[in-house]
Amino acid sequence: MKICIIGTGYVGLVSGTCFADLGNDVICVDKDKHKIENLKIGKIPIFEPGLEELIVKNLKIKTLKFSTDINRSIKDSNIIFICVGTPTDKKNKNANLKYVYQVAQSIKKNINKYKIIVTKSTVPITTGDKIEKILNSKKNKNKFDVVSNPEFLREGEAIRDFCYPDRVVVGTNSKKANKILKSLYIPLVKKDSRYINTSRRGAEIIKYASNAFLATKISYINELANLCEKTSVDVKEVSLGMGLDQRIGERFLRAGPAYGGSCFPKDTKSLIYTADKVKINLSIVKSVVKFNEQRKKLPINKIHKILGKRLKNKKITFLGVTFKAGTDDMRESPSINVIPYLSKKNAEIRYYEPTGYKDAFKKLKNVKFFDKIKDACNLSDLIIIHTDWNEFKQLNFKKLVNKKIIKIFDMRNLYSIKKMKNNNIKYFSIGR
Ligand code: UGA
């Protein structure tokens, strides 16, 4: 099938590459010339395990191409995926659809034969209706269908999530479009996942409802972690005991800092906005957003509890600074709040991060990047395990820190309290 992917951000790049790997003829388009030139030689702008290799492989066999020529690419394709960004609007907190509608205008001019226009970007309910309105004209009559096909990829696990999806949701009332998209997804659907055909608006809501539910699940266990901490119970036991009930499920029950990333914070707010507009009060999602905002203060409060009020000249080491493991993404990462605060308090901040130096801290004083865990930890007053990268799971802190008194704040509950106690390490974690 001839596929055009518009927008080579995270969603577009992963989907385009994986569709190409399934043997389709894929062209990925972006207006960023520099990005496209790099992609043409297999250089990718994001850190995503396995993606670069897959791009290089498909560039070689020419199933995957990159271009800045949006008009030609649309004309040459049967299916067009809109994968541009929908960032949160600063004013109203809803998703900003400027880029989506700009793309719709470009598509409108280039419909030369029947095409399926698919929104893969996360878009609020009724966006599909609006795109359809933009595309409608005498010339384009019966020449297109607008479909919602949300993606459920996680950063850091995207290739696996694409190849082995729990479900593929295709929102359209058009039998023709559904048949074509089903044949596109059949190689994945065969692998035990479910292909669901819903209404277009239904698919749009499913995406938001899923992310808001996962954000709720995390906030639920985070709130219980607060109770566990006060009652000397280990929240990990609670997660285990709850999660084994299949109606609840064990995934996304890990207590930690406020959830971050580009999706949960953005999508929960956008869902609330949409509901408010039709006078529906999503009170549960509202409390989740509020609770998560409050939770952003947790790391700073803990650091003061461990090191006291004065942080001046205290050597504080961060192991990882990204919002989660497997990604170089810093959006809504707890470190974005905590490190500037510590810098203002004149602490001496060091960080080690597997995906390298981060521009986010460039302008802050007393913040230094180390490319070796050992150097970052040496003689530190406090080690903060910020991100749950595998390489932080079995460290010998006694060798790394070289101090009599070792203090660790484990924001991801990676270590056993008992082992830490036996090693005489002052160990603080979350909900335990
Ligand atoms: C999320 C969804 O999981 C994907 O299904 C969805 O496609 C994607 O958003 C999107 O809308 O594009 P992602 O943002 O990559 O994916 O990250 P997650 O793995 O879901 O983690 C989000 C946040 O929740 C992170 O801050 C993570 O540390 C936190 N989290 C996750 C927990 O605190 N506890 C958990 O048990 C799981």
Side-chain angles (χ1 to χ4, degrees), residues 191-224:
K191 292 176 196 159
D192 261 1
S193 66
R194 309 251 320 254
Y195 179 96
I196 309 162
N197 178 209
T198 64
S199 65
R200 189 167 61 206
R201 289 184 179 187
E204 287 169 347
I205 290 200
I206 286 170
K207 167 69 192 193
Y208 280 102
S210 302
N211 272 1
F213 183 79
L214 291 171
T216 305
K217 198 171 172 188
I218 296 166
S219 297
Y220 182 79
I221 201 69
N222 279 345
E223 197 163 39
L224 280 169

Short mmCIF file of all heavy atoms in Angstrom, two decimals, residues 191-224:
data_model
loop_
_atom_site.label_atom_id
_atom_site.label_comp_id
_atom_site.label_asym_id
_atom_site.label_seq_id
_atom_site.Cartn_x
_atom_site.Cartn_y
_atom_site.Cartn_z
N LYS A 191 -1.42 -11.43 15.14
CA LYS A 191 -0.63 -11.79 16.31
C LYS A 191 -1.43 -11.58 17.58
O LYS A 191 -1.01 -10.85 18.49
CB LYS A 191 0.64 -10.94 16.36
CG LYS A 191 1.63 -11.24 15.27
CD LYS A 191 2.80 -10.27 15.36
CE LYS A 191 3.63 -10.26 14.10
NZ LYS A 191 4.41 -9.05 13.95
N ASP A 192 -2.65 -12.09 17.60
CA ASP A 192 -3.43 -12.12 18.85
C ASP A 192 -4.03 -10.81 19.31
O ASP A 192 -4.60 -10.75 20.39
CB ASP A 192 -2.56 -12.64 20.00
CG ASP A 192 -2.85 -14.09 20.24
OD1 ASP A 192 -3.69 -14.62 19.49
OD2 ASP A 192 -2.24 -14.68 21.15
N SER A 193 -3.81 -9.74 18.57
CA SER A 193 -4.41 -8.50 19.06
C SER A 193 -5.77 -8.34 18.40
O SER A 193 -6.14 -9.07 17.50
CB SER A 193 -3.51 -7.32 18.75
OG SER A 193 -3.44 -7.15 17.37
N ARG A 194 -6.52 -7.37 18.85
CA ARG A 194 -7.88 -7.22 18.36
C ARG A 194 -8.00 -5.99 17.48
O ARG A 194 -7.50 -4.92 17.81
CB ARG A 194 -8.84 -7.08 19.55
CG ARG A 194 -8.68 -8.15 20.58
CD ARG A 194 -9.80 -9.14 20.63
NE ARG A 194 -11.13 -8.60 20.47
CZ ARG A 194 -12.00 -8.45 21.45
NH1 ARG A 194 -11.66 -8.75 22.69
NH2 ARG A 194 -13.21 -8.01 21.21
N TYR A 195 -8.66 -6.16 16.37
CA TYR A 195 -8.94 -5.04 15.48
C TYR A 195 -10.37 -4.61 15.76
O TYR A 195 -11.29 -5.39 15.65
CB TYR A 195 -8.78 -5.49 14.03
CG TYR A 195 -9.07 -4.42 13.00
CD1 TYR A 195 -8.05 -3.67 12.44
CD2 TYR A 195 -10.38 -4.17 12.59
CE1 TYR A 195 -8.32 -2.69 11.49
CE2 TYR A 195 -10.65 -3.19 11.64
CZ TYR A 195 -9.61 -2.45 11.11
OH TYR A 195 -9.88 -1.48 10.17
N ILE A 196 -10.55 -3.35 16.16
CA ILE A 196 -11.90 -2.91 16.50
C ILE A 196 -12.30 -1.77 15.58
O ILE A 196 -11.58 -0.77 15.46
CB ILE A 196 -11.97 -2.38 17.95
CG1 ILE A 196 -11.36 -3.39 18.92
CG2 ILE A 196 -13.41 -2.11 18.38
CD1 ILE A 196 -11.01 -2.75 20.23
N ASN A 197 -13.46 -1.94 14.97
CA ASN A 197 -14.00 -0.85 14.16
C ASN A 197 -15.07 -0.13 14.98
O ASN A 197 -16.05 -0.73 15.41
CB ASN A 197 -14.59 -1.42 12.86
CG ASN A 197 -15.22 -0.36 11.97
OD1 ASN A 197 -16.16 -0.67 11.23
ND2 ASN A 197 -14.75 0.86 12.03
N THR A 198 -14.84 1.17 15.23
CA THR A 198 -15.79 1.96 16.03
C THR A 198 -16.24 3.16 15.21
O THR A 198 -15.77 3.36 14.09
CB THR A 198 -15.12 2.50 17.31
OG1 THR A 198 -14.08 3.41 16.91
CG2 THR A 198 -14.51 1.40 18.16
N SER A 199 -17.07 3.97 15.82
CA SER A 199 -17.40 5.25 15.17
C SER A 199 -16.15 6.13 15.26
O SER A 199 -15.26 5.88 16.07
CB SER A 199 -18.55 5.92 15.93
OG SER A 199 -18.11 6.26 17.23
N ARG A 200 -16.11 7.16 14.43
CA ARG A 200 -14.92 8.03 14.44
C ARG A 200 -14.78 8.76 15.77
O ARG A 200 -13.71 8.79 16.37
CB ARG A 200 -15.00 9.03 13.28
CG ARG A 200 -13.72 9.80 13.08
CD ARG A 200 -13.71 10.53 11.77
NE ARG A 200 -14.78 11.49 11.70
CZ ARG A 200 -15.33 11.91 10.55
NH1 ARG A 200 -14.90 11.44 9.41
NH2 ARG A 200 -16.30 12.81 10.55
N ARG A 201 -15.88 9.31 16.25
CA ARG A 201 -15.82 10.02 17.54
C ARG A 201 -15.47 9.05 18.67
O ARG A 201 -14.78 9.40 19.62
CB ARG A 201 -17.16 10.69 17.84
CG ARG A 201 -17.44 11.88 16.95
CD ARG A 201 -18.72 12.55 17.38
NE ARG A 201 -19.01 13.72 16.57
CZ ARG A 201 -19.99 14.56 16.82
NH1 ARG A 201 -20.78 14.37 17.85
NH2 ARG A 201 -20.20 15.60 16.04
N GLY A 202 -15.98 7.83 18.56
CA GLY A 202 -15.69 6.80 19.58
C GLY A 202 -14.19 6.57 19.68
O GLY A 202 -13.63 6.52 20.78
N ALA A 203 -13.53 6.45 18.52
CA ALA A 203 -12.08 6.20 18.51
C ALA A 203 -11.35 7.38 19.13
O ALA A 203 -10.37 7.20 19.87
CB ALA A 203 -11.61 5.96 17.08
N GLU A 204 -11.84 8.59 18.84
CA GLU A 204 -11.18 9.78 19.40
C GLU A 204 -11.26 9.75 20.93
O GLU A 204 -10.30 10.05 21.63
CB GLU A 204 -11.84 11.05 18.84
CG GLU A 204 -11.47 11.33 17.39
CD GLU A 204 -12.31 12.42 16.71
OE1 GLU A 204 -13.36 12.83 17.28
OE2 GLU A 204 -11.94 12.85 15.62
N ILE A 205 -12.43 9.35 21.44
CA ILE A 205 -12.57 9.32 22.91
C ILE A 205 -11.76 8.17 23.51
O ILE A 205 -11.16 8.32 24.58
CB ILE A 205 -14.05 9.19 23.33
CG1 ILE A 205 -14.78 10.51 23.02
CG2 ILE A 205 -14.18 8.87 24.83
CD1 ILE A 205 -16.06 10.71 23.79
N ILE A 206 -11.72 7.03 22.83
CA ILE A 206 -10.99 5.86 23.38
C ILE A 206 -9.55 6.22 23.73
O ILE A 206 -9.03 5.85 24.77
CB ILE A 206 -11.03 4.67 22.38
CG1 ILE A 206 -12.44 4.04 22.38
CG2 ILE A 206 -9.98 3.61 22.73
CD1 ILE A 206 -12.68 3.03 21.26
N LYS A 207 -8.92 7.00 22.85
CA LYS A 207 -7.53 7.37 23.10
C LYS A 207 -7.39 8.19 24.40
O LYS A 207 -6.59 7.89 25.27
CB LYS A 207 -7.00 8.18 21.91
CG LYS A 207 -5.70 8.88 22.13
CD LYS A 207 -4.56 7.91 22.24
CE LYS A 207 -3.31 8.59 22.74
NZ LYS A 207 -2.12 7.82 22.61
N TYR A 208 -8.23 9.21 24.54
CA TYR A 208 -8.16 10.05 25.75
C TYR A 208 -8.57 9.27 26.98
O TYR A 208 -7.96 9.39 28.05
CB TYR A 208 -9.07 11.27 25.59
CG TYR A 208 -8.47 12.35 24.77
CD1 TYR A 208 -8.84 12.54 23.45
CD2 TYR A 208 -7.50 13.21 25.31
CE1 TYR A 208 -8.28 13.54 22.67
CE2 TYR A 208 -6.93 14.20 24.54
CZ TYR A 208 -7.32 14.37 23.23
OH TYR A 208 -6.74 15.36 22.48
N ALA A 209 -9.62 8.47 26.82
CA ALA A 209 -10.13 7.70 27.97
C ALA A 209 -9.07 6.73 28.46
O ALA A 209 -8.92 6.53 29.67
CB ALA A 209 -11.40 6.96 27.56
N SER A 210 -8.30 6.13 27.54
CA SER A 210 -7.26 5.18 27.94
C SER A 210 -6.16 5.89 28.72
O SER A 210 -5.75 5.44 29.80
CB SER A 210 -6.64 4.49 26.71
OG SER A 210 -7.64 3.85 25.98
N ASN A 211 -5.66 6.99 28.17
CA ASN A 211 -4.58 7.70 28.86
C ASN A 211 -5.04 8.25 30.21
O ASN A 211 -4.32 8.19 31.20
CB ASN A 211 -4.04 8.83 27.98
CG ASN A 211 -2.93 8.33 27.06
OD1 ASN A 211 -2.59 7.15 27.07
ND2 ASN A 211 -2.37 9.21 26.27
N ALA A 212 -6.27 8.77 30.26
CA ALA A 212 -6.77 9.33 31.52
C ALA A 212 -6.95 8.20 32.55
O ALA A 212 -6.70 8.39 33.74
CB ALA A 212 -8.08 10.07 31.29
N PHE A 213 -7.36 7.04 32.08
CA PHE A 213 -7.53 5.92 33.01
C PHE A 213 -6.18 5.48 33.59
O PHE A 213 -6.05 5.26 34.79
CB PHE A 213 -8.21 4.73 32.31
CG PHE A 213 -8.47 3.58 33.23
CD1 PHE A 213 -9.56 3.61 34.09
CD2 PHE A 213 -7.60 2.51 33.30
CE1 PHE A 213 -9.79 2.58 34.99
CE2 PHE A 213 -7.82 1.47 34.20
CZ PHE A 213 -8.92 1.50 35.04
N LEU A 214 -5.17 5.38 32.71
CA LEU A 214 -3.84 4.97 33.19
C LEU A 214 -3.28 6.02 34.16
O LEU A 214 -2.67 5.67 35.19
CB LEU A 214 -2.88 4.77 32.01
CG LEU A 214 -3.21 3.57 31.12
CD1 LEU A 214 -2.37 3.57 29.85
CD2 LEU A 214 -3.01 2.25 31.88
N ALA A 215 -3.52 7.29 33.86
CA ALA A 215 -3.07 8.36 34.76
C ALA A 215 -3.79 8.24 36.11
O ALA A 215 -3.20 8.47 37.17
CB ALA A 215 -3.33 9.72 34.14
N THR A 216 -5.05 7.84 36.06
CA THR A 216 -5.84 7.67 37.29
C THR A 216 -5.30 6.49 38.10
O THR A 216 -5.15 6.57 39.33
CB THR A 216 -7.33 7.42 36.94
OG1 THR A 216 -7.78 8.47 36.11
CG2 THR A 216 -8.19 7.35 38.19
N LYS A 217 -4.97 5.42 37.39
CA LYS A 217 -4.46 4.22 38.07
C LYS A 217 -3.15 4.54 38.81
O LYS A 217 -2.96 4.17 39.97
CB LYS A 217 -4.24 3.14 37.00
CG LYS A 217 -4.13 1.74 37.55
CD LYS A 217 -4.14 0.70 36.44
CE LYS A 217 -3.84 -0.66 37.05
NZ LYS A 217 -3.64 -1.70 36.06
N ILE A 218 -2.28 5.28 38.12
CA ILE A 218 -1.00 5.65 38.74
C ILE A 218 -1.25 6.58 39.93
O ILE A 218 -0.67 6.41 41.00
CB ILE A 218 -0.08 6.36 37.71
CG1 ILE A 218 0.30 5.40 36.59
CG2 ILE A 218 1.17 6.91 38.38
CD1 ILE A 218 0.91 6.09 35.38
N SER A 219 -2.15 7.55 39.75
CA SER A 219 -2.41 8.50 40.85
C SER A 219 -3.04 7.78 42.04
O SER A 219 -2.79 8.13 43.20
CB SER A 219 -3.33 9.63 40.39
OG SER A 219 -2.68 10.35 39.38
N TYR A 220 -3.85 6.80 41.74
CA TYR A 220 -4.49 6.03 42.81
C TYR A 220 -3.43 5.35 43.69
O TYR A 220 -3.44 5.48 44.92
CB TYR A 220 -5.43 4.98 42.19
CG TYR A 220 -6.17 4.16 43.20
CD1 TYR A 220 -7.30 4.66 43.84
CD2 TYR A 220 -5.74 2.88 43.53
CE1 TYR A 220 -7.98 3.91 44.79
CE2 TYR A 220 -6.42 2.13 44.48
CZ TYR A 220 -7.53 2.64 45.10
OH TYR A 220 -8.19 1.90 46.04
N ILE A 221 -2.48 4.69 43.03
CA ILE A 221 -1.45 3.99 43.81
C ILE A 221 -0.51 5.01 44.47
O ILE A 221 -0.01 4.80 45.58
CB ILE A 221 -0.68 2.93 42.97
CG1 ILE A 221 0.00 1.89 43.89
CG2 ILE A 221 0.34 3.54 42.04
CD1 ILE A 221 -0.92 0.98 44.60
N ASN A 222 -0.31 6.15 43.82
CA ASN A 222 0.53 7.19 44.42
C ASN A 222 -0.12 7.75 45.68
O ASN A 222 0.55 8.01 46.69
CB ASN A 222 0.78 8.33 43.42
CG ASN A 222 1.89 7.99 42.43
OD1 ASN A 222 2.65 7.04 42.65
ND2 ASN A 222 1.98 8.74 41.36
N GLU A 223 -1.43 7.91 45.65
CA GLU A 223 -2.13 8.43 46.83
C GLU A 223 -2.07 7.39 47.96
O GLU A 223 -1.83 7.72 49.12
CB GLU A 223 -3.57 8.79 46.49
CG GLU A 223 -4.20 9.70 47.52
CD GLU A 223 -5.46 10.40 47.01
OE1 GLU A 223 -6.25 9.77 46.29
OE2 GLU A 223 -5.65 11.58 47.35
N LEU A 224 -2.25 6.12 47.57
CA LEU A 224 -2.15 5.06 48.59
C LEU A 224 -0.74 4.96 49.15
O LEU A 224 -0.55 4.60 50.32
CB LEU A 224 -2.58 3.72 48.00
CG LEU A 224 -4.09 3.57 47.95
CD1 LEU A 224 -4.49 2.37 47.14
CD2 LEU A 224 -4.67 3.45 49.37
#
